[in-house]
Structure formats: structure tokens, C-alpha cells
Amino acid sequence: MLIGMTTEPEQQIGVGTPDAFQRLWTPHRMAYIQGENKPTGPEAGDGCPFCAIPAKSDEDGLVVARGEKVYAVLNLYPYNGGHLMVVPYRHVADYTELDGPETLELADFTKRAMSALRTASGAHGFNIGMNQGAVAGAGIAAHLHQHLVPRWGGDTNFMPVVGHTKVLPQLLADTRKMLADAWPAA
């Protein structure tokens, strides 16, 4: 038996039905759920975080790499360690609004992000995609961004399946530095 565990369910006031589960509290997720850092409207000047990030230092903005038309940034609310996004500098909502050079650099940065994640963390595979519009699940629908979520064999274990909890073993600042150091040259 684990230290501190009992065979009897422990009364835990305020967490629902008493049971034998220990809780991992992830209060940083509540910021996302409550809409922290979300724009107040659809325009670039409405508090769009993807428009604000390029003005920050790489460390403060969690920027992994910068291009001419797009940049790569860690997701502040990651699904997995190393979850990053490729974002155009220009404030556009829809993939069809990208011009040719933006589309090409977004594709190139996606390939380079995959290489960096494989080099830095040994990712076995990836989920890559865009949620176009709020009804499709875009958290920030007014500014296009493509997600790259690294995956490993066995990374779906009991924590997310049963506990609806993701354990991230590394601070975002450390992940940013690791990926920036592994980012392939153009």
C-alpha cells in the first residue's frame, strides 16, 4: 500500500462523491476554462494573444522559432509535453486567407517542428491540425494557428483515460529551450 493511502474511502469535502482516489490539482487549466487570455473580439487589437506574442522575448512568449511570415510557439495549455503551434504573424482567421508565402512557410515550419520534436523528445508520431471557427473547437478562432501535438507509444495511459488528467513532466520554459535548441536551420 502507498504511504498515506488507506483501504477506506477518505471523506473529501467539496470534491464530489467520497472515494479512494487521490486528486492531482491542475489550477492552471481553470484559467483556460474561464477564458483567460482570450480576445474580447475578432480584431487584432481586441487582445489577441497571437498578435501580442511576437512583441515579447522568446522566453516570455514561449516562442520556439521565428520566421518571416509565421512563428512557432508552445501551447500555454498543452495536451502533451512539447505541444506547439505554428502561427502566422498576420491576423487572419481562416486557412484560405493565407497568401502563398504564408502557406509555404507554415508548411515548412510544420516540418521543422516535427524534426525538432523528434530530435528533442523522441516523439513517435504527431496529431497535427487546425480548428477552423469556434464551432469546430478553436479556442481563439479569430487568429489561425496549427497545432502539433507530439505522441509516444503508450502516452495514453490511465491518467487521461480514467483520471481525465494529463501529467506534464517538464516546465514550459524548459520545453521551449529544448525545442529551440533542436530547431533545424532553414
Side-chain angles (χ1 to χ4, degrees):
M1 175 137 340
L2 297 174
I3 296 172
M5 296 282 295
T6 65
T7 57
E8 296 297 316
E10 180 182 327
Q11 179 67 33
Q12 297 178 21
I13 306 300
V15 296
T17 306
D19 56 32
F21 289 106
Q22 296 295 315
R23 301 297 194 272
L24 292 178
W25 300 103
T26 55
H28 66 280
R29 292 292 300 167
M30 188 53 71
Y32 176 76
I33 291 166
Q34 292 178 335
E36 186 175 298
N37 298 321
K38 285 205 177 180
T40 57
E43 302 302 319
D46 293 335
C48 175
F50 295 135
C51 289
I53 288 170
K56 298 179 179 184
S57 70
D58 289 353
E59 292 77 12
D60 290 342
L62 298 175
V63 175
V64 174
R66 295 175 190 259
E68 290 182 29
K69 303 288 183 181
V70 303
Y71 65 95
V73 62
L74 287 182
N75 190 319
L76 193 54
Y77 309 104
Y79 291 118
N80 251 354
H83 177 175
L84 60 80
M85 298 170 290
V86 178
V87 185
Y89 290 109
R90 194 164 59 96
H91 187 86
V92 296
D94 197 86
Y95 186 69
T96 61
E97 295 177 54
L98 293 178
D99 63 25
E102 288 168 326
T103 303
L104 289 174
E105 193 171 63
L106 188 132
D108 178 60
F109 261 54
T110 300
K111 289 170 55 174
R112 291 165 69 191
M114 291 173 67
S115 294
L117 285 160
R118 283 188 178 121
T119 298
S121 66
H124 298 149
F126 300 90
N127 294 118
I128 299 173
M130 297 178 204
N131 299 322
Q132 293 283 268
V135 298
I140 299 175
H143 197 132
L144 178 77
H145 53 286
Q146 177 166 265
H147 293 264
L148 286 94
V149 181
R151 303 300 303 265
W152 297 268
D155 70 1
T156 301
N157 57 30
F158 74 96
M159 292 301 290
V161 174
V162 175
H164 300 282
T165 302
K166 207 40 137 157
V167 177
L168 301 172
Q170 191 174 47
L171 296 173
L172 289 176
D174 295 338
T175 303
R176 189 217 66 79
K177 180 168 181 357
M178 179 182 74
L179 292 175
D181 290 347
W183 195 264

